[in-house]
Amino acid sequence: MASMVGQATLGKEELLETAGLMVEFTRARGDHLYYLDENGKERQVLDLVGGFGSTLLGHNHPELVELLTRCLAQQRPVHAQGSRRQQASELKQALADYLHQHSGERYKIYLLNTGTEAVEAAIKHARYAYAQRMEAMSDACAANARELQIRLERGEIQIDAPLLQQAERLLQHEPLDHVDALLSAVNQRNLQALATAPLMAALPYAFHGKTLGSLALTWNRDARLAFVRNNPDALFVHEPSQFLAQLREHSVSVYQFEFQPLRLVERRLPRLAGLIYEPLRGEGGILELDAEFRTLLQALREHHPEVALIADEVQCGLGRTGRPIESAAQGLPADYLTFAKSLGGGLCKISALAVRESLQHREFGMLHSSTFAEDDLSARVALRSLEILQRDAVAQRCASLGEALLEGLQALQRAHPELIRAVRGRGCMLGLELQDLSEHRSPLLASLAQEQLLGMVCAGHLLHAHGLRVLPSLGRRSVLRIQPSAYLQPADLQQALQAFRALFETLAQGNLQSLLAH
Ligand code: F0G
């Protein structure tokens, strides 16, 4: 273990391997994973990771396993594209009803495969809506130019020198000496403006997936920079209070004539097609949105209702935070929402994009589709998962588990303020941030911290010494993520807190031999 210190550029796999985290689990049930030790004996591990939030219902939920087994035994179809997908439509209805119940809004649902694909679909829908607006504006500009010509022909108006001069100033154009030159200059400007590519905005420390579109909006530089760098179409909101002013710079201008009195006017259209946000950021280190971002979302809603506000609830949604829809619980506007992880009940790969009914484009379902989307098997499992979520009041369960876990972790922080920087999050989506120990008196601890390996080492120790599985956030490696299922038993909760207590006592005593031995 000590040999890993000094190797700053270990890849993810090597890091996990060296920290003793690359265990092959052979069985999973509820909040537990099992592996075989070197003597072939089955060892139990309390799992607070799952698929970084995908096991809200626990591993291999018995009702879902039974359902899946029955579907297979009955030879239910899985893939039948171009036919009536009854299971998929029931799921869409159930998810739309869930959203309506908890947000008061009506959404149209599209089913997809993974979290990142739901985000891609959201970006595509926002870009499509933008393109449609530009198309409509282009028609409006053409109609406006025709109206000018008709009025000229009828002699209702005339183009005089002051108008030409006003147009020159507005367009910052060289002298326009004739109506045809004026019309052609306006037309050219408008065509250019309306062909401008849209922008998408995202928040710092948010994670949206690793396919190219969502990666461009993902903060994590290790994940992004090798593929997407200096992308002019992606904006990160660094200064929320300045963002609306910044939007003016990121706008295009189209020019139209007004007739009473006759003059050329400029209309600015924001290039921003959408802004995506994680209501509670997971991969970035369990970070809540600060008030400034919430104010920005409200201001965008008010001043730019055409900009699609996308709540990425892939990780925090469907009750994990202790609230059925995290964005709605925070009173944040959400034109679109994305869901994945918990939707498949921890067994199936399935995701969903929800678009407010008044904003959805009917043809979008054809424009974004996939061989594997809407398959009967995952639709059935997701439908049943939604039923279980509601029947078992999973959000409330998460809320009370979260309170108990937070209370225990906060007590630990009070006991070890020099080791624990923060404890945060809500429901079953919590994080424990280690202090920056890069100046610690123990050289080994200091170098582990400097190399951002301390979180990994702590996770390895918890796994092997205490049978507890947590992992650091890859976006912020000093944060241990804690994401149990909604069914974590009181004894398990105590085991988890006891393991954390023991870890921090070991660290406080500077007992690094014990930390690294496994
Ligand atoms: N959006 C959010 C908020 C996510 O947390 C993730 C994945 C995705 C999108 C992408 O989903 O993996 O199904 O394509 N988050 C994991 C994490 C990987 O570490 O939090 P995917």
Side-chain angles (χ1 to χ4, degrees), residues 88 91-93 95-96 99 107-114 117-118 121-122 125 128 336-339 343 350-357 359-369 373-374:
L91 171 60
K92 289 181 194 174
Q93 189 59 50
L95 186 54
L99 295 179
Y107 289 91
K108 158 100 179 163
I109 309 292
Y110 302 94
L111 295 179
L112 308 148
N113 300 287
T114 59
E117 193 195 354
H125 196 286
Y128 187 69
Y336 310 174
L337 296 117
T338 53
F339 297 99
L343 188 61
I350 184 167
S351 64
L353 166 67
V355 177
R356 253 185 36 220
E357 251 177 24
L359 301 174
Q360 61 102 12
H361 289 270
R362 289 188 123 263
E363 60 281 24
F364 188 71
M366 283 296 279
L367 295 170
H368 187 94
S369 61
E374 307 205 333

Side-chain angles (χ1 to χ4, degrees), residues 218-230:
T218 281
W219 178 258
N220 186 327
R221 287 155 191 257
D222 293 343
R224 174 166 52 86
L225 288 189
F227 305 97
V228 194
R229 187 182 272 273
N230 298 326

Side-chain angles (χ1 to χ4, degrees), residues 122-133:
I123 298 169
K124 280 177 70 177
H125 196 286
R127 289 179 67 109
Y128 187 69
Y130 174 92
Q132 298 291 104
R133 283 199 299 280

Side-chain angles (χ1 to χ4, degrees), residues 52 114-116 119 207-209 278 283 312 314-315 341 481:
F52 280 132
T114 59
T116 197
V119 172
F207 185 92
H208 300 296
E278 262 187 280
E283 192 268 355
D312 181 352
V314 159
Q315 185 163 166
K341 301 197 185 243
R481 285 158 83 178

Side-chain angles (χ1 to χ4, degrees), residues 82-271:
S83 67
R84 192 168 140 218
R85 315 300 290 272
Q86 184 60 22
Q87 304 304 324
S89 30
E90 283 180 28
L91 171 60
K92 289 181 194 174
Q93 189 59 50
L95 186 54
D97 290 346
Y98 178 92
L99 295 179
H100 183 245
Q101 184 189 341
H102 297 291
S103 72
E105 297 277 0
R106 286 261 169 227
Y107 289 91
K108 158 100 179 163
I109 309 292
Y110 302 94
L111 295 179
L112 308 148
N113 300 287
T114 59
T116 197
E117 193 195 354
V119 172
E120 293 286 342
I123 298 169
K124 280 177 70 177
H125 196 286
R127 289 179 67 109
Y128 187 69
Y130 174 92
Q132 298 291 104
R133 283 199 299 280
M134 293 296 149
E135 190 83 24
M137 184 52 82
S138 171
D139 292 347
C141 288
N144 181 256
R146 267 198 311 278
E147 183 174 353
L148 180 88
Q149 277 164 325
I150 290 168
R151 284 177 183 250
L152 278 173
E153 276 161 26
R154 287 192 193 138
E156 290 169 17
I157 53 171
Q158 357 173 341
I159 305 283
D160 53 14
L163 177 77
L164 288 172
Q165 281 156 13
Q166 184 247 331
E168 284 160 17
R169 273 196 309 277
L170 192 62
L171 299 172
Q172 296 185 341
H173 200 280
E174 58 197 34
L176 295 162
D177 49 12
H178 190 264
V179 62
D180 291 340
L182 171 62
L183 276 174
S184 140
V186 167
N187 187 35
Q188 208 177 5
R189 280 299 172 82
N190 288 348
L191 283 178
Q192 204 179 6
L194 295 170
T196 310
L199 298 172
M200 291 293 300
L203 303 196
Y205 306 108
F207 185 92
H208 300 296
K210 288 193 177 172
T211 48
L212 277 174
S214 50
L215 189 60
L217 301 173
T218 281
W219 178 258
N220 186 327
R221 287 155 191 257
D222 293 343
R224 174 166 52 86
L225 288 189
F227 305 97
V228 194
R229 187 182 272 273
N230 298 326
N231 181 348
D233 301 336
L235 284 179
F236 287 101
V237 184
H238 296 283
E239 293 280 353
S241 58
Q242 310 289 311
F243 190 71
L244 280 193
Q246 228 180 311
L247 272 193
R248 269 187 77 76
E249 289 161 36
H250 293 291
S251 63
V252 291
S253 291
V254 293
Y255 299 91
Q256 291 180 336
F257 294 98
E258 277 183 4
F259 298 102
Q260 278 164 349
L262 179 61
R263 60 187 185 130
L264 189 64
V265 291
E266 176 183 2
R267 294 192 202 291
R268 275 176 183 261
L269 310 173
R271 277 178 63 201

